[in-house]
Amino acid sequence: MPNWSVTSYVLVGDRDQLDALYNRMSELEQMKEPLVPNGFGPNWLGCLVKSLGGDPQKVYCRGSWSDLCREDDSVTFDCEHAWSRPHEVEDLIRSVYPDIDIYFLEEELGMDIFQTNDTENAYFHDTVIIDIEDEGMEYYGDADALAELSRMKGETISTWEEAEDFVKERNAEADAGDDVSHIWIHRVDYV
C-alpha cells in the first residue's frame, strides 16, 4: 500500500493556455464515464494524461485531482497521489502548454516530504507546520511560527536553532512523563 501524498498546484502564465488547460480538466471532471477506465473516476490523472496525448501506461499518473479553480491569473487544484508528486504529468502539461509555469507545494510528512518550488513564497505562504501531539497540525509562515513557538515557551525564540532546542527540551519533558505534548516542526524544503 502506498503512502498517499498531497500536492497543491498554482499554474500561471499565458491566459489562453490556462483557459485551455482549465477547460480540458473541467470537461474531464464532468464526464459520466472516465476517459480511461480506472478506480479513481474522471479526475484520475491518467485521464488527463490521455487527454493531453500521453499514454497512462507510460506516464506515472497514480492519483487524482480535486478543487479545480480558474482565477484571473491562474489555475489551481490539489492532487492526491501515491508516494511523490506526479513529475511526469507536470512535464506533459509543460510540453503541451509551454507558456504555463507550474508551482507546487507537496506534503507527505510520513516520508518527511514538505517541499515547494515557490522560492519567493508568491503562492504558498505557509512554510512551517507545527504538529502538536493530540492537538493536530497548524500551518504558519516563518515569522508566525517563531511567534507561536515563543508563545508556547513563554519567552522569545528568534532563530530556528533556538526553536529546535525548544522542541528537543519539550519532547524530553514529554518523554519523561511531564504534562506536555510532543511537538514536531516541519519546515518547507525549496526544490
Side-chain angles (χ1 to χ4, degrees):
M1 177 156 189
N3 284 12
W4 288 98
S5 183
V6 175
T7 301
S8 296
Y9 285 99
V10 177
L11 285 68
V12 296
D14 180 82
R15 287 183 181 274
D16 291 337
Q17 290 187 16
L18 289 171
D19 286 338
L21 176 62
Y22 173 79
N23 291 337
R24 181 184 303 260
M25 292 175 75
S26 185
E27 288 171 10
L28 288 168
E29 286 182 331
Q30 296 171 25
M31 296 180 82
K32 291 189 190 298
E33 293 295 323
L35 184 62
V36 179
N38 66 82
F40 291 98
N43 291 34
W44 178 49
L45 289 171
C47 294
L48 179 58
V49 166
K50 178 79 170 171
S51 174
L52 293 170
D55 182 348
Q57 299 297 319
K58 295 181 180 175
V59 174
Y60 184 79
C61 53
R62 196 166 172 195
S64 60
W65 77 86
S66 63
D67 301 321
L68 178 66
C69 183
R70 177 70 169 103
E71 311 234 346
D72 285 340
D73 58 351
S74 65
V75 170
T76 62
F77 59 93
D78 294 325
C79 186
E80 183 178 32
H81 44 83
W83 304 115
S84 64
R85 72 178 213 279
H87 301 76
E88 293 178 14
V89 175
E90 294 171 15
D91 292 343
L92 183 58
I93 291 171
R94 284 185 191 98
S95 72
V96 174
Y97 302 109
D99 296 324
I100 289 179
D101 293 317
I102 300 174
Y103 294 94
F104 66 85
L105 177 67
E106 180 183 11
E107 178 183 328
E108 205 294 278
L109 300 181
M111 298 290 290
D112 199 27
I113 297 171
F114 185 46
Q115 62 184 13
T116 185
N117 65 341
D118 181 16
T119 58
E120 301 297 320
N121 295 24
Y123 305 103
F124 301 107
H125 310 290
D126 294 334
T127 56
V128 179
I129 299 171
I130 299 176
D131 186 359
I132 302 174
E133 183 179 39
D134 300 326
E135 292 182 31
M137 299 184 307
E138 293 290 332
Y139 294 76
Y140 300 90
D142 277 5
D144 290 338
L146 289 173
E148 176 60 16
L149 292 167
S150 296
R151 185 197 64 73
M152 293 169 70
K153 183 174 182 179
E155 61 185 70
T156 301
I157 295 176
S158 304
T159 67
W160 286 109
E161 292 79 19
E162 292 173 1
E164 290 170 10
D165 289 343
F166 166 64
V167 168
K168 286 178 189 172
E169 292 167 14
R170 170 79 175 247
N171 289 343
E173 292 172 12
D175 289 342
D178 291 354
D179 193 24
V180 295
S181 299
H182 288 91
I183 300 173
W184 298 274
I185 298 174
H186 308 278
R187 293 180 62 207
V188 77
D189 290 321
Y190 294 96
V191 295

